[in-house]
Short mmCIF file of all heavy atoms in Angstrom, two decimals:
data_model
loop_
_atom_site.label_atom_id
_atom_site.label_comp_id
_atom_site.label_asym_id
_atom_site.label_seq_id
_atom_site.Cartn_x
_atom_site.Cartn_y
_atom_site.Cartn_z
N ALA A 197 -9.99 -9.42 26.29
CA ALA A 197 -9.56 -8.21 25.57
C ALA A 197 -10.80 -7.48 25.07
O ALA A 197 -11.78 -8.12 24.64
CB ALA A 197 -8.67 -8.60 24.39
N GLN A 200 -12.32 -8.41 21.72
CA GLN A 200 -12.87 -9.77 21.56
C GLN A 200 -14.11 -9.99 22.41
O GLN A 200 -14.72 -11.05 22.34
CB GLN A 200 -11.79 -10.79 21.92
CG GLN A 200 -10.60 -10.75 20.98
CD GLN A 200 -9.45 -11.61 21.49
OE1 GLN A 200 -8.40 -11.09 21.84
NE2 GLN A 200 -9.63 -12.90 21.54
N HIS A 324 -4.53 -3.62 23.18
CA HIS A 324 -4.62 -5.07 22.97
C HIS A 324 -5.15 -5.36 21.56
O HIS A 324 -6.32 -5.67 21.36
CB HIS A 324 -5.53 -5.71 24.02
CG HIS A 324 -5.42 -7.23 24.06
ND1 HIS A 324 -5.30 -7.96 25.23
CD2 HIS A 324 -5.41 -8.13 23.06
CE1 HIS A 324 -5.23 -9.26 24.94
NE2 HIS A 324 -5.30 -9.38 23.63
N PHE A 325 -4.28 -5.25 20.57
CA PHE A 325 -4.58 -5.64 19.18
C PHE A 325 -5.70 -4.81 18.55
O PHE A 325 -6.24 -5.20 17.52
CB PHE A 325 -4.96 -7.12 19.08
CG PHE A 325 -3.83 -8.07 19.34
CD1 PHE A 325 -4.10 -9.42 19.56
CD2 PHE A 325 -2.51 -7.65 19.38
CE1 PHE A 325 -3.07 -10.34 19.81
CE2 PHE A 325 -1.48 -8.54 19.63
CZ PHE A 325 -1.77 -9.89 19.84
N ASN A 369 -0.17 -5.46 24.61
CA ASN A 369 -0.37 -6.90 24.64
C ASN A 369 0.60 -7.59 23.67
O ASN A 369 0.68 -7.21 22.50
CB ASN A 369 -1.81 -7.23 24.20
CG ASN A 369 -2.04 -8.73 24.15
OD1 ASN A 369 -2.02 -9.39 25.18
ND2 ASN A 369 -2.23 -9.27 22.96
N GLU A 370 1.35 -8.59 24.17
CA GLU A 370 2.18 -9.42 23.29
C GLU A 370 2.91 -8.57 22.24
O GLU A 370 2.70 -8.71 21.03
CB GLU A 370 1.31 -10.47 22.60
CG GLU A 370 0.64 -11.40 23.56
CD GLU A 370 -0.14 -12.50 22.86
OE1 GLU A 370 -0.50 -12.34 21.69
OE2 GLU A 370 -0.39 -13.54 23.51
N MET A 373 4.31 -9.72 18.84
CA MET A 373 3.45 -10.14 17.73
C MET A 373 3.60 -9.19 16.53
O MET A 373 3.11 -9.46 15.44
CB MET A 373 1.98 -10.19 18.15
CG MET A 373 1.63 -11.35 19.01
SD MET A 373 1.85 -12.92 18.11
CE MET A 373 1.00 -14.03 19.22
N MET A 426 5.03 -7.41 28.15
CA MET A 426 4.36 -8.69 27.86
C MET A 426 4.71 -9.21 26.47
O MET A 426 4.69 -8.46 25.50
CB MET A 426 2.85 -8.54 27.94
CG MET A 426 2.14 -9.88 27.69
SD MET A 426 0.39 -9.66 27.40
CE MET A 426 -0.12 -11.37 27.15
N TYR A 503 0.58 -20.92 25.66
CA TYR A 503 -0.48 -21.87 25.27
C TYR A 503 0.08 -23.22 24.91
O TYR A 503 -0.56 -24.25 25.10
CB TYR A 503 -1.27 -21.31 24.08
CG TYR A 503 -2.09 -20.11 24.43
CD1 TYR A 503 -1.58 -18.82 24.25
CD2 TYR A 503 -3.35 -20.26 24.96
CE1 TYR A 503 -2.34 -17.71 24.61
CE2 TYR A 503 -4.12 -19.16 25.31
CZ TYR A 503 -3.60 -17.89 25.14
OH TYR A 503 -4.33 -16.78 25.49
N ASN A 520 -0.25 -20.16 18.35
CA ASN A 520 -0.76 -18.81 18.51
C ASN A 520 -0.13 -17.87 17.49
O ASN A 520 1.03 -17.52 17.58
CB ASN A 520 -0.45 -18.31 19.94
CG ASN A 520 -1.16 -17.03 20.21
OD1 ASN A 520 -1.95 -16.57 19.40
ND2 ASN A 520 -0.89 -16.44 21.35
N MET A 521 -0.91 -17.52 16.47
CA MET A 521 -0.52 -16.54 15.45
C MET A 521 0.61 -17.03 14.53
O MET A 521 0.99 -16.35 13.61
CB MET A 521 -0.09 -15.20 16.08
CG MET A 521 -1.14 -14.61 16.93
SD MET A 521 -2.25 -13.61 15.97
CE MET A 521 -1.33 -12.11 16.04
N TRP A 537 -2.78 -26.68 18.38
CA TRP A 537 -1.84 -26.09 19.35
C TRP A 537 -1.37 -27.20 20.27
O TRP A 537 -2.17 -27.84 20.96
CB TRP A 537 -2.53 -24.99 20.15
CG TRP A 537 -2.96 -23.80 19.34
CD1 TRP A 537 -3.19 -23.78 17.99
CD2 TRP A 537 -3.20 -22.47 19.80
NE1 TRP A 537 -3.57 -22.52 17.59
CE2 TRP A 537 -3.57 -21.70 18.67
CE3 TRP A 537 -3.13 -21.85 21.06
CZ2 TRP A 537 -3.89 -20.34 18.79
CZ3 TRP A 537 -3.43 -20.50 21.16
CH2 TRP A 537 -3.80 -19.76 20.02
N GLU A 563 -1.80 -15.09 30.18
CA GLU A 563 -2.74 -15.87 29.37
C GLU A 563 -2.30 -17.33 29.36
O GLU A 563 -1.10 -17.59 29.19
CB GLU A 563 -2.79 -15.37 27.91
CG GLU A 563 -3.31 -13.97 27.76
CD GLU A 563 -3.31 -13.50 26.32
OE1 GLU A 563 -3.26 -14.34 25.40
OE2 GLU A 563 -3.33 -12.27 26.10
N TRP A 609 -6.66 -17.46 30.16
CA TRP A 609 -7.20 -16.75 29.01
C TRP A 609 -8.64 -17.19 28.72
O TRP A 609 -8.91 -18.39 28.67
CB TRP A 609 -6.39 -16.93 27.72
CG TRP A 609 -7.11 -16.22 26.63
CD1 TRP A 609 -7.87 -16.76 25.64
CD2 TRP A 609 -7.22 -14.81 26.47
NE1 TRP A 609 -8.44 -15.77 24.87
CE2 TRP A 609 -8.05 -14.56 25.36
CE3 TRP A 609 -6.69 -13.70 27.15
CZ2 TRP A 609 -8.37 -13.27 24.93
CZ3 TRP A 609 -7.00 -12.42 26.73
CH2 TRP A 609 -7.83 -12.22 25.63
N ILE A 615 -14.68 -13.95 21.41
CA ILE A 615 -14.34 -14.16 20.00
C ILE A 615 -12.83 -14.44 19.90
O ILE A 615 -12.02 -13.74 20.50
CB ILE A 615 -14.66 -12.91 19.16
CG1 ILE A 615 -16.08 -12.40 19.43
CG2 ILE A 615 -14.43 -13.19 17.67
CD1 ILE A 615 -17.19 -13.32 18.99
N SER A 616 -12.48 -15.48 19.15
CA SER A 616 -11.08 -15.82 18.99
C SER A 616 -10.30 -14.71 18.29
O SER A 616 -10.81 -14.09 17.34
CB SER A 616 -10.99 -17.11 18.16
OG SER A 616 -9.82 -17.11 17.38
N SER A 617 -9.10 -14.46 18.77
CA SER A 617 -8.27 -13.39 18.20
C SER A 617 -7.84 -13.74 16.78
O SER A 617 -8.01 -12.96 15.85
CB SER A 617 -7.03 -13.20 19.07
OG SER A 617 -6.20 -12.22 18.56
N GLY A 618 -7.26 -14.92 16.61
CA GLY A 618 -6.66 -15.28 15.32
C GLY A 618 -7.66 -15.63 14.23
O GLY A 618 -7.40 -15.38 13.06
N THR A 619 -8.83 -16.20 14.63
CA THR A 619 -9.73 -16.71 13.57
C THR A 619 -11.11 -16.06 13.61
O THR A 619 -11.96 -16.35 12.81
CB THR A 619 -9.95 -18.23 13.76
OG1 THR A 619 -10.55 -18.41 15.07
CG2 THR A 619 -8.65 -19.01 13.69
N LYS A 624 -14.43 -21.47 18.94
CA LYS A 624 -13.19 -21.80 19.65
C LYS A 624 -13.33 -21.25 21.05
O LYS A 624 -12.95 -20.10 21.33
CB LYS A 624 -11.99 -21.20 18.94
CG LYS A 624 -10.66 -21.59 19.57
CD LYS A 624 -9.50 -21.04 18.77
CE LYS A 624 -8.19 -21.61 19.25
NZ LYS A 624 -7.03 -20.98 18.56
N TYR A 626 -12.92 -20.86 25.19
CA TYR A 626 -11.87 -20.98 26.22
C TYR A 626 -12.44 -20.98 27.63
O TYR A 626 -11.74 -21.33 28.57
CB TYR A 626 -10.92 -19.77 26.14
CG TYR A 626 -9.86 -19.85 25.07
CD1 TYR A 626 -10.11 -19.41 23.77
CD2 TYR A 626 -8.60 -20.36 25.36
CE1 TYR A 626 -9.13 -19.48 22.78
CE2 TYR A 626 -7.61 -20.43 24.38
CZ TYR A 626 -7.89 -19.98 23.11
OH TYR A 626 -6.93 -20.05 22.13
C1 BGP B 264 -3.27 -14.15 22.16
C2 BGP B 264 -4.06 -12.89 22.43
C3 BGP B 264 -5.39 -13.10 23.00
C4 BGP B 264 -6.04 -14.46 22.74
C5 BGP B 264 -5.07 -15.59 22.56
C6 BGP B 264 -5.73 -16.86 22.02
O1 BGP B 264 -2.40 -13.87 21.11
O2 BGP B 264 -3.35 -12.04 23.34
O3 BGP B 264 -6.15 -12.02 22.51
O4 BGP B 264 -6.98 -14.40 21.74
O5 BGP B 264 -4.03 -15.24 21.72
O6 BGP B 264 -5.72 -16.83 20.63
P1 BGP B 264 -7.05 -17.19 19.83
O7 BGP B 264 -8.13 -16.33 20.39
O8 BGP B 264 -6.73 -16.89 18.39
O9 BGP B 264 -7.30 -18.67 20.06
#
Side-chain angles (χ1 to χ4, degrees):
Q200 296 170 246
H324 193 134
F325 291 167
N369 177 67
E370 299 184 338
M373 285 296 193
M426 182 193 180
Y503 291 93
N520 190 6
M521 303 273 273
W537 295 22
E563 296 178 20
W609 177 257
I615 310 294
S616 148
S617 179
T619 60
K624 184 176 190 186
Y626 279 87

